[in-house]
Amino acid sequence: MALFNILHTEWSNGWGGQEIRIFEECRGMRQRGHDVALAGCPQGELGRRARQAGIPFHPLGMAGPWDLAALTRLCRLIKKTGAQVVHTHSSVDSWLGGAAARLCRVKCVRTRHLSVPVNKNPLNAVYRLPQAVVTTGQGIRRHLVEDYGLAPERVLSIPTGVDTERFKPAPPDPRLQGELGLRPGEPVVAMVAVLRSWKRHDIFCQMAQGLLRQRPGLRFLIVGHGPGWQRVNGYLDEMRLRPATVMTGHREDIESILNLCTVCVSASDKAEGVPQSLLQALACERAVAASQAGDIGEVISPEKTGLLVPAGQAEPLAQAVGRLLDDEALRSRLGQEGRRLVLAGYSREHMLKATEDLYQKVLSKGEGD
């Protein structure tokens, strides 16, 4: 197997699904013997995590897509590290990284993490700078090919892979149950997501409010942190969802939390590729009820690996969750099928192997390709 020298760039200073994927991809490729470094926001959580994991991190402030000083520093960094491929992720770093790769005559790959439509203005050439574009779902790939006009051979869907040894079925952890105020045997419904507007925690809370009227013994977990923390806290007060609902904040023990859950929920209404949280839930054999948004339908096949409902509506979501709570056999069947799906095509190993194959393909092309 050929070994590669890869420089990832990331403008974002947040810590959500996109940043977690970048971190896991960098760590996984280094474990497979490749030289991998990361350049990005000096104050970001991604940089801190990279340093802790021993991944070379180069602080690189980027004021915008036309930051010539950042472009110059990035060109110097490419030459210093000997990078063969610059792998970009967000808008600003993709403009700068794509331009720097062209100037340094090295290859460039861009990952598109979200399913938000791309601006089709002819001046928006950011997706024409790289030799290849990775998407996290087939729907995003179709959009870039059919609506934006990229050549099909330049766009590849590689969903975020799950560590199936970490995320697997396990008995509930009594210590964790106690920490979260849960009693053994209580049905638990959870949503694991960064607290951002399109994740629709308001829909989750409306669903919880409706279910609690008929099922007062239910417990709900909102797992994650983000810019919507105060807003979501307000929902709990306005809808009188305490103490039945607990906001856990960001957790590093997601696999243990998932194994406490009876049902896992996704309420997003846009911007999704294939969400990591859903794949993690499936890997743990959890029953899933999810809204039809982005590429969620790629992995949640109705009545096979989960239940799908229209996005932006609380009542259909509540009905789906209620059905799963009432039918243990259905939960078990969906959970087992979900794990089989992840093992067959959505594992961390699948993601890393597909990425290696893409780098090999890109590097085998001529300079102008």
Side-chain angles (χ1 to χ4, degrees), residues 83-130:
Q84 298 168 284
V85 177
V86 178
H87 194 146
T88 73
H89 297 273
S90 291
S91 176
V92 170
D93 70 274
S94 290
W95 278 106
L96 293 172
R102 291 280 179 170
L103 288 170
C104 295
R105 297 185 176 182
V106 300
K107 303 299 185 179
C108 181
V109 171
R110 161 79 193 265
T111 295
R112 175 70 175 176
H113 295 264
L114 302 178
S115 63
V116 176
V118 174
N119 185 342
K120 292 186 281 186
N121 187 309
L123 296 178
N124 182 27
V126 68
Y127 288 95
R128 305 190 189 283
L129 290 171

Side-chain angles (χ1 to χ4, degrees), residues 81-258:
T81 60
Q84 298 168 284
V85 177
V86 178
H87 194 146
T88 73
H89 297 273
S90 291
S91 176
V92 170
D93 70 274
S94 290
W95 278 106
L96 293 172
R102 291 280 179 170
L103 288 170
C104 295
R105 297 185 176 182
V106 300
K107 303 299 185 179
C108 181
V109 171
R110 161 79 193 265
T111 295
R112 175 70 175 176
H113 295 264
L114 302 178
S115 63
V116 176
V118 174
N119 185 342
K120 292 186 281 186
N121 187 309
L123 296 178
N124 182 27
V126 68
Y127 288 95
R128 305 190 189 283
L129 290 171
Q131 281 73 36
V133 177
V134 174
T135 67
T136 57
Q138 290 291 350
I140 311 174
R141 180 185 181 277
R142 283 193 297 272
H143 166 63
L144 289 174
V145 172
E146 297 173 7
D147 302 326
Y148 186 74
L150 289 184
E153 63 271 15
R154 291 185 59 214
V155 191
L156 177 67
S157 174
I158 306 178
T160 302
V162 175
D163 182 345
T164 55
E165 286 303 308
R166 176 185 171 193
F167 291 93
K168 60 185 178 182
D173 180 348
R175 178 202 57 78
L176 183 57
Q177 285 178 319
E179 177 188 337
L180 298 176
L182 305 173
R183 293 188 295 271
E186 281 184 323
V188 177
V189 179
M191 179 167 162
V192 180
V194 177
L195 274 59
R196 294 189 176 119
S197 59
W198 65 81
K199 299 294 186 179
R200 298 304 303 268
H201 288 83
D202 57 329
I203 295 293
F204 180 85
C205 290
Q206 292 167 25
M207 174 208 71
Q209 185 182 48
L211 287 171
L212 281 169
R213 294 192 187 104
Q214 304 299 323
R215 306 165 185 263
L218 269 181
R219 293 296 177 262
F220 298 89
L221 297 178
I222 296 175
V223 184
H225 209 290
W229 180 264
Q230 294 300 326
R231 173 173 48 83
V232 177
N233 253 302
Y235 297 153
L236 301 194
D237 293 329
E238 294 164 14
M239 300 183 200
R240 299 182 180 181
L241 293 176
R242 305 182 202 273
T245 305
V246 175
M247 292 181 68
T248 71
H250 175 76
R251 301 287 301 208
E252 294 292 327
D253 55 349
I254 295 297
E255 67 278 18
S256 297
I257 287 182
L258 289 172

Side-chain angles (χ1 to χ4, degrees), residues 346-364:
Y346 294 88
S347 70
R348 184 172 182 262
E349 289 304 304
H350 279 93
M351 176 184 75
L352 296 174
K353 180 61 168 62
T355 304
E356 284 177 332
D357 291 345
L358 177 62
Y359 290 155
Q360 182 65 62
K361 178 181 176 182
V362 165
L363 288 167
S364 68

Side-chain angles (χ1 to χ4, degrees), residues 5 28 52 66 100 103-104 187 246 263 300 335:
N5 188 328
Q52 285 183 340
W66 313 116
L103 288 170
C104 295
V246 175
V263 178
I300 304 302

Side-chain angles (χ1 to χ4, degrees), residues 47-70:
R48 187 183 73 81
R49 301 260 181 163
R51 291 187 187 98
Q52 285 183 340
I55 299 168
F57 178 76
H58 304 276
L60 182 66
M62 293 173 261
W66 313 116
D67 185 344
L68 294 181

